[in-house]
Amino acid sequence: MRLAKFLAHAGVASRRAAEGIVREGRVTVAGEIVLDPARDVGEHDAIEVDGARVALEAEHVVYMLNKPAGVVSTARDTHGRPVVTELVDAGVRLYPIGRLDADTTGLILLTNDGELANRLMHPRHEVPRTYVAKVHGGFVKNRALERLREGVQLEDGRTAPAQVRQVRPGVLELTIHEGRKRQVRRMCEAVGHRVLSLRRVRFGPLDLGRLEEGQARRLKATELRALKSAAGMMRPHASVRPARRHNRRRQ
Ligand code: URA
């Protein structure tokens, strides 16, 4: 198996991030620094990241966290700010699936399953994410809502159309399928409404529900199945219908 893939499976980081970690010279195989993420390794090789041995983990877990404002959604922060991984007591090393801005609150997933994380973040799967944005300027006029629905021109290109509804004056619920940096904030600003607060309430098939800010919980089996299905890792759960009986009368 390729070294970067091994690190992703071992829960160190997503595959792409693992490639970076290797290139930074932080990984040794049998005591020697390896800079090639494609280097072939096996589960019996002594692989260390930053001097700590890593091994393939037996069980993959996924947690949902209601991220508070001020917490950074990386596994480590160079500025010493609190990070999301400190809020989840899973007993295994986790990392976040994607990012929320430090000042955004709400649903973020953490896992040690590198493949699931990679797939969920891949644009091909277009996992919808729903946000509730409180915006400056009160009532948002129809024209602005229409522009958000059509897609707005941002400095890094036009956004895909969003689903948008005004929950109450000045509070929008937006569903987008892309994961560009500060996308919702920039979209709202582009139509004249600066975002005052932003909360993610849904990620793919998962709802934040009543999970309190700062609290985390492990996904239920049904939620995990739905998430894997959204990531294209399994066929959607067939509806459970009893097999039709062929009790035609014998002629
Ligand atoms: N869009 C944003 O602007 N910020 C986030 O944190 C997530 C989506």
Side-chain angles (χ1 to χ4, degrees), residues 22 33 37 158:
V22 175
I33 294 177
R158 197 176 182 79

Side-chain angles (χ1 to χ4, degrees), residues 158-170:
R158 197 176 182 79
T159 66
Q163 287 167 34
V164 185
R165 71 184 182 99
Q166 187 152 208
V167 182
R168 53 178 190 278

Side-chain angles (χ1 to χ4, degrees), residues 67 73 99-105 129 131 176 178-187 195 198 200:
K67 185 183 98 57
S73 48
R99 301 257 167 112
L100 289 176
D101 303 331
D103 43 355
T104 300
T105 61
R129 298 129 209 213
Y131 298 85
I176 59 172
E178 302 160 293
R180 297 196 220 166
K181 210 168 173 201
R182 296 181 80 79
Q183 183 168 340
V184 173
R185 292 175 198 275
R186 290 191 293 139
M187 286 173 75
V195 169
L198 187 63
R200 183 155 70 189

